[in-house]
């Protein structure tokens, strides 16, 4: 089904087109229609199936085409971790580029200035708020969060939020919201406690079970288990080890793309970057150079992974572990096209191990753990259960990477 067949606002279609999307995935086709019809939904998927756009697109359409109070919060998306909040915020930024929809990601771990920025947005109004439960409770306890006019509530990875002990926080947040609203619940599993939560908050929901595709068998998949600071030197080593003619490196944020591209350029690799900060003309030129082999290496964000339709790519590298299984499948699916073979490497740091284990669960088998060259020194053991909640072992002299700060923006009218 083409995106043009959903009846989405032209400004949204313009954003979809700019990202290179044309055909909706099965999950988008199943989820978007009932959301656009105003129904509550409960959607089940093993890990996540590229569903972010499936709820963001209809939410954007409703906010653009229906009346709402811009001085209040109109939609709230609650997620278990700040990493997921950042990812959804970046997807939203790209999809809403040609609209005036405002958004902010609200999560812990930042400095005092980020809390002030969040407070300003939550008290003055934002069309869409993406938040973690604990951080939202902290703001709500101070009495200025404007949820009186909220129309849409999304719980993403609801089962993981329950596993992490957020049930009471979720119910406290929901108790502050208007009773009349549209509810969208996404969960990898449907245990009894999930059904109980759904019973409490959903009204005559449409139930959707999402099947997940698998990557082609001819893709050689390997993972390197490393400390975060080892990623940069390792990727340079991998790129130098063989004469790859066509390589895509995926990062989970624009910040990572820019930093990695700068580092590889300084090392004299033939490389360019592509992300939503680039204008359409520059994106098209970079892709043309890559397609015509004038450029060997392309560093890209997740948000553009589906829009890169190039058949003879030798190697895909996941510099960051993608958040969900569908993103992983679409990333590595850029190689081994047209019955050819291909290679996919994933660099897995300590806090990413649990996330990668969930991807392996989705694939139905473990990914081969490749040996890290001895010159890089000691590497961590692969023990994802011990790092389930993002825990990590400290290594002296190696600072941990932090995510980008929250943003609150209102795009100008186009």
């Amino acid at each position: 089904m083409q995106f043009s067949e959903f009846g989405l606002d032209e400004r949204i279609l313009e954003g979809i087109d700019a990202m290179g999307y044309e055909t909706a995935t099965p999950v988008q086709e199943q989820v978007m229609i009932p959301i656009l019809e105003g129904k509550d939904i409960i959607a089940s998927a093993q890990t996540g199936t590229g569903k972010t756009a499936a709820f963001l697109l209809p939410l954007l359409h409703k906010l653009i085409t229906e009346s709402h109070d811009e001085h209040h919060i109109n939609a709230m998306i609650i997620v278990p971790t700040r990493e997921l909040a950042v990812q959804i915020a970046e997807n939203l930024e790209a999809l809403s580029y040609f609209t005036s929809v405002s958004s902010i990601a609200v999560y812990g771990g930042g400095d005092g200035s980020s809390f002030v920025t969040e407070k300003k947005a939550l008290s003055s109004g934002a069309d869409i708020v993406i938040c973690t439960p604990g951080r939202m409770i902290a703001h709500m306890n101070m009495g200025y969060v404007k949820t009186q006019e909220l129309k849409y509530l999304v719980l993403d990875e609801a089962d993981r939020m329950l596993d992490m002990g957020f049930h009471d926080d979720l119910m406290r947040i929901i108790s502050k919201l208007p009773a009349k609203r549209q509810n969208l619940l996404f969960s990898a599993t449907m245990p009894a406690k999930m059904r109980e939560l759904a019973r409490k908050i959903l009204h005559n929901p449409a139930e959707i079970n999402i099947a997940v595709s698998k990557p082609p068998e001819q893709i050689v998949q390997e993972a390197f288990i490393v400390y975060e600071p080892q990623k940069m030197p390792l990727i340079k080593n991998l790129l130098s080890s063989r004469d790859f003619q066509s390589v895509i490196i995926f990062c989970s944020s624009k910040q990572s793309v820019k930093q990695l591209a700068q580092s590889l350029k300084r090392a004299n690799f033939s490389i360019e970057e592509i992300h939503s900060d680039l204008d359409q003309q520059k994106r098209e030129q970079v892709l043309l150079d890559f397609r015509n082999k004038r450029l060997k290496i392309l560093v890209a964000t997740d948000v553009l992974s589906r829009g890169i339709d190039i058949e003879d790519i030798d190697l895909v590298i996941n510099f960051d572990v993608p958040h969900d299984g569908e993103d992983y499948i679409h990333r590595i699916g850029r190689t081994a096209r047209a019955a050819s073979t291909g290679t996919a490497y994933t660099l897995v740091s300590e806090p990413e191990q649990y996330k990668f284990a969930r991807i392996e669960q989705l694939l139905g088998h473990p990914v081969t753990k490749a040996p890290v060259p001895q010159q890089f020194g000691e590497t961590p053991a692969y023990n994802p259960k011990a790092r389930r909640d993002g825990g990590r072992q400290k290594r002296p002299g190696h600072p941990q990477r932090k995510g980008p700060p929250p943003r609150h923006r209102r795009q100008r009218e186009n």
Side-chain angles (χ1 to χ4, degrees):
M1 188 172 182
Q2 301 291 307
F3 282 108
S4 57
E5 298 179 63
F6 288 98
L8 297 171
D9 185 273
E10 286 296 327
R11 288 164 288 183
I12 299 174
L13 292 175
E14 194 175 357
I16 293 171
D17 182 65
M19 293 168 63
Y21 296 177
E22 292 181 2
T23 305
T25 63
V27 58
Q28 290 161 355
E29 194 168 326
Q30 292 179 63
V31 169
M32 286 175 62
I33 292 173
I35 296 177
L36 288 168
E37 292 174 346
K39 297 177 181 177
D40 284 11
I41 66 165
I42 177 170
S44 173
Q46 280 181 278
T47 306
T49 55
K51 62 187 178 299
T52 302
F55 62 77
L56 287 181
L57 289 171
L59 285 182
L60 285 170
H61 176 78
K62 285 172 171 285
L63 288 167
I64 291 172
T65 59
E66 299 176 3
S67 62
H68 62 275
D69 189 337
E70 65 179 21
H71 300 297
H72 285 75
I73 298 168
N74 291 283
M76 184 180 293
I77 302 168
I78 309 178
V79 299
T81 65
R82 72 177 188 177
E83 289 79 14
L84 181 52
V86 169
Q87 177 182 322
I88 292 175
E90 291 184 345
N91 274 263
L92 177 59
E93 182 179 11
L95 292 170
S96 64
Y97 187 81
F98 297 100
T99 79
S100 59
V101 171
S102 63
S103 64
I104 184 170
V106 175
Y107 53 85
D111 54 21
S113 63
S114 66
F115 195 92
V116 172
T117 301
E118 294 168 4
K119 177 181 178 180
K120 181 179 178 181
L122 296 174
S123 58
S124 62
D127 290 322
I128 301 177
V129 171
I130 307 110
C131 62
T132 53
R135 186 71 157 197
M136 179 53 67
I137 286 291
H139 283 290
M140 282 186 160
N141 286 342
M142 300 177 77
Y144 48 71
V145 181
K146 289 190 173 180
T147 59
Q148 298 91 327
E149 301 295 326
L150 186 133
K151 295 183 176 181
Y152 312 105
L153 173 67
V154 181
L155 301 184
D156 196 10
E157 292 202 358
D159 56 338
R160 190 174 177 195
M161 285 194 279
L162 294 184
D163 287 344
M164 294 169 70
F166 285 131
H167 176 273
D168 290 346
D169 283 349
L170 288 174
M171 298 314 298
R172 285 177 64 192
I173 293 171
I174 292 169
S175 71
K176 305 289 186 182
L177 307 181
K180 187 177 180 181
R181 63 179 188 269
Q182 186 176 7
N183 304 286
L184 314 175
L185 187 151
F186 295 88
S187 177
T189 58
M190 285 295 163
K193 60 184 178 180
M194 178 55 55
R195 291 287 178 184
E196 178 64 18
L197 176 65
R199 188 188 63 78
K200 291 177 182 177
I201 68 172
L202 302 179
H203 307 286
N204 300 318
E207 293 202 26
I208 299 164
N209 292 309
I210 302 164
V212 180
S213 57
K214 297 296 176 70
E217 292 183 1
Q218 62 265 37
I219 298 176
V220 177
Q221 302 177 55
E222 294 185 348
F224 294 86
I225 311 303
V226 294
Y227 293 106
E228 185 70 36
Q230 293 173 320
K231 284 188 176 183
M232 195 73 76
L234 176 59
I235 206 167
K236 293 176 183 177
N237 177 274
L238 294 173
L239 292 172
S240 302
S241 64
R242 282 172 48 191
D243 186 22
F244 295 106
Q245 296 301 306
S246 187
V247 181
I248 294 182
I249 305 172
F250 284 112
C251 299
S252 294
S253 71
K254 290 180 293 186
Q255 182 183 9
S256 293
V257 167
K258 293 172 183 178
Q259 291 174 347
L260 178 58
Q262 288 174 1
S263 180
L264 293 179
K265 283 179 180 178
R266 287 195 295 268
N268 296 318
F269 287 99
S270 171
I271 187 168
E272 285 292 345
E273 61 195 71
I274 189 166
H275 47 73
S276 60
D277 278 354
L278 300 181
D279 61 38
Q280 184 65 12
Q281 183 177 1
K282 176 63 174 176
R283 287 189 215 172
E284 291 176 354
Q285 185 59 54
V286 169
L287 285 174
L288 181 62
D289 290 344
F290 186 64
R291 190 174 286 112
N292 293 336
K293 307 302 181 186
R294 291 193 291 267
L295 175 67
K296 281 191 175 184
I297 305 170
L298 185 64
V299 185
T301 49
D302 269 320
V303 80
L304 293 171
S305 62
R306 295 177 189 268
I308 300 172
D309 188 17
I310 300 168
E311 301 226 324
D312 49 351
I313 294 170
D314 301 329
L315 173 66
V316 168
I317 300 178
N318 295 311
F319 186 75
D320 301 308
V321 175
H323 171 71
D324 62 38
E326 188 75 0
D327 280 338
Y328 178 84
I329 290 167
H330 279 277
R331 282 185 181 189
I332 72 171
R334 302 306 92 194
T335 189
R337 307 291 291 274
S340 66
T341 59
T343 303
Y345 295 147
T346 302
L347 311 188
V348 185
S349 66
E350 287 182 285
E352 295 174 312
Q353 288 190 17
Y354 177 65
K355 191 160 52 173
F356 191 69
R358 295 187 76 191
I359 290 172
E360 291 181 309
Q361 183 181 12
L362 173 70
L363 296 173
H365 60 80
V367 173
T368 299
K369 309 304 183 294
V372 176
Q374 289 187 349
Q375 66 260 34
F376 296 107
E378 177 191 358
T379 56
Y382 187 59
N383 186 11
K385 288 184 179 180
R387 319 210 200 297
R388 175 168 181 162
D389 296 324
R392 69 192 76 180
Q393 297 172 349
K394 293 183 179 179
R395 190 173 183 227
H398 289 81
Q400 300 298 337
R401 201 161 54 112
K402 295 182 179 179
R407 296 183 300 275
H408 176 236
R409 65 180 183 87
R410 182 169 292 278
Q411 296 283 5
R412 65 184 185 276
E413 291 284 357
N414 289 278

